[in-house]
Amino acid sequence: MQSLFTYILEAKKEMLIGFSLSILYITYYLSEVVKRPVVVCGEETFRTLLEERVPLLREPYWPTPWCVEARLQTVIGSLLRSRLLTPLTCTREIVVLSDGGQVALDWVETGVGCEASAPVLLVLPGLTGSAGADYVRCLAAAARELRARCVLTTPRLYCALSHEDLAEVVAWVGARCGGAPLLAAGVSLGGLILGQYLAAHGARARVHAALAVSSPLDVERGSECMERPPLNSLLSYHMARQLRQTVRAHAPLRAEWGAVARARSVREFDAAFTTRHFGFGSVEAYYRAASLRDKLGAVAGPLLCLCAADDPFQPLEALPLREALAAGAGGARVALALTARGGHIGFLEGWWPARPAHTQYIARLAAQYFAALLAAPHLLHRPPAAPAPH
């Protein structure tokens, strides 16, 4: 009897400890994790549209309770969505560029009827992404919600400043689709290349509205964050391994394999390959030129950048908040939507985050954002008339 009594006391003690820890975590989750996104925008009309017509930006973001850590959001988000979201069905079109190169355009079969005048959503994948990437499926689902046509690009071999090919793709897609609004969404490196294109072309840019997701706006500071041990450096190692495999798979690049094979981080890869292949004197010079921080004021917009304050590659301290405000004050329709959590292209929510693509946070934000702008056409960018394609 005494042993039974002792067992009951110990069981109650364990239950009490478990209950107390649960209360502590719930308190932490509700007070420190669940927060409404912060909108950073210095241009009044654009900020008003975002705050009034994009519901997600008025609501708290509820990250998956058992997956709030940044690296977990990043890795588990990619793993779950890649395996559980329905793959896309695409029709491939090859576009020959002016320099003789080629770009593949994958036109997504969205499963809904689209009129000839329906908007087009052009998607630029990230560093190692493709038409099969999980976040691409989310953006394709957003296009479906908008009843828009969706086309994916295969960007030029890795360089954050390679927006010349994108300019030709934008002109090609725009000419093919007539006067329909051309929307663009870039993820990570794809968003950085999209931003470079918008800044370089300014009012001449032929994109009516743009969205960048988890894009490194300040590459210099972001690269420092990416190398932080131990967890961030592990992610950097994984990305460098994928980049090495890409170089190794292309026969014309194998002459440079000796230096590339030793790269164990993205920075080392950039020093061994990117800077040499694209003519930069050093990796520091490349990162300085690739940063969008001081170019935001040249973007005609509208451009919304979805960022997470805990992104391991671009945390809060690396975000150009003052530059974004200054760009808006100068008339540029540029905004940052900053969630407290979300990792790098994670943005998981709900107890079981592997939900249908159109219900994912990235998809819902993209659909709401572009729908708000399409309903307010006076806020869309109006580029000059495009020259006839050759």
Side-chain angles (χ1 to χ4, degrees):
M1 178 64 72
Q2 185 176 0
S3 61
L4 177 61
F5 182 72
T6 303
Y7 172 78
I8 293 174
L9 285 178
E10 290 296 327
K12 287 185 176 180
K13 184 188 299 182
E14 293 175 359
M15 290 177 61
L16 181 61
I17 292 173
F19 179 76
S20 300
L21 291 176
S22 298
I23 293 297
L24 286 174
Y25 181 76
I26 291 172
T27 302
Y28 163 76
Y29 178 78
L30 294 176
S31 61
E32 297 296 328
V33 177
V34 178
K35 294 183 182 295
R36 175 179 168 177
V38 176
V39 176
V40 179
C41 181
E43 205 281 322
E44 184 177 353
T45 56
F46 189 35
R47 184 181 66 250
T48 300
L49 176 132
L50 294 173
E51 293 176 344
E52 294 183 356
R53 302 194 186 183
V54 183
L56 273 184
L57 299 181
R58 301 195 303 268
E59 304 167 358
Y61 166 53
W62 296 76
T64 298
W66 50 268
C67 185
V68 299
E69 202 277 330
R71 269 71 50 162
L72 282 178
Q73 280 262 337
T74 302
V75 174
I76 292 180
S78 177
L79 289 175
L80 283 180
R81 290 191 294 239
S82 295
R83 285 160 174 74
L84 298 179
L85 295 185
T86 304
L88 300 177
T89 302
C90 304
T91 300
R92 173 156 290 190
E93 177 182 18
I94 301 299
V95 177
V96 179
L97 304 174
S98 59
D99 62 0
Q102 295 182 343
V103 169
L105 298 181
D106 291 321
W107 292 86
V108 180
E109 298 179 17
T110 60
V112 297
C114 296
E115 300 177 358
S117 60
V120 178
L121 177 59
L122 179 66
V123 178
L124 285 77
L127 180 59
T128 57
S130 66
D134 61 286
Y135 52 79
V136 171
R137 303 180 208 180
C138 294
L139 291 170
R144 187 182 306 114
E145 293 295 305
L146 293 166
R147 301 191 72 82
R149 292 163 287 179
C150 182
V151 58
L152 318 175
T153 69
T154 54
R156 178 179 174 179
L157 187 61
Y158 172 49
C159 177
L161 290 160
S162 297
H163 57 80
E164 298 89 351
D165 290 357
L166 175 59
E168 293 194 47
V169 168
V170 167
W172 177 277
V173 174
R176 173 172 170 171
C177 298
L182 178 54
L183 316 173
V187 180
S188 193
L189 177 69
L192 181 57
I193 295 174
L194 175 60
Q196 298 287 354
Y197 163 78
L198 296 174
H201 288 258
R204 296 178 292 107
R206 303 195 178 280
V207 170
H208 293 80
L211 170 68
V213 179
S214 296
S215 296
L217 306 177
D218 188 332
V219 181
E220 290 182 280
R221 299 187 66 183
S223 67
E224 297 172 0
C225 299
M226 189 182 297
E227 304 300 316
R228 290 175 182 170
L231 298 180
N232 287 11
S233 58
L234 286 175
L235 288 176
S236 180
Y237 174 83
H238 172 68
M239 295 173 71
R241 182 176 62 181
Q242 291 182 299
L243 289 168
R244 294 198 309 269
Q245 292 172 349
T246 299
V247 171
R248 196 170 191 174
H250 289 75
L253 302 177
R254 288 178 186 168
E256 305 177 55
W257 177 245
V260 172
R262 295 187 291 272
R264 292 297 179 268
S265 70
V266 173
R267 187 182 186 89
E268 290 180 2
F269 177 89
D270 286 335
F273 176 80
T274 313
T275 57
R276 296 165 59 185
H277 193 72
F278 291 94
F280 292 94
S282 67
V283 69
E284 290 79 15
Y286 167 54
Y287 287 161
R288 189 160 49 249
S291 291
L292 271 175
R293 177 189 60 229
D294 299 321
K295 303 175 186 176
L296 294 174
V299 176
L303 168 64
L304 175 63
C305 303
L306 173 62
C307 311
D310 67 343
D311 188 327
F313 301 152
Q314 185 185 235
L316 178 61
E317 64 266 25
L319 288 171
L321 304 181
R322 286 182 295 181
E323 289 82 356
L325 280 173
R333 287 174 179 157
V334 174
L336 273 59
L338 181 62
T339 60
R341 302 299 174 104
H344 187 70
I345 329 175
F347 301 103
L348 299 179
E349 55 183 343
W351 283 101
W352 180 241
R355 299 180 294 178
H358 73 279
T359 67
Q360 297 282 332
Y361 193 85
I362 295 173
R364 290 192 292 139
L365 180 70
Q368 291 178 13
Y369 166 64
F370 286 126
L373 284 169
L374 291 171
H378 63 285
L379 293 181
L380 293 173
H381 174 57
R382 294 296 178 185
H390 298 291

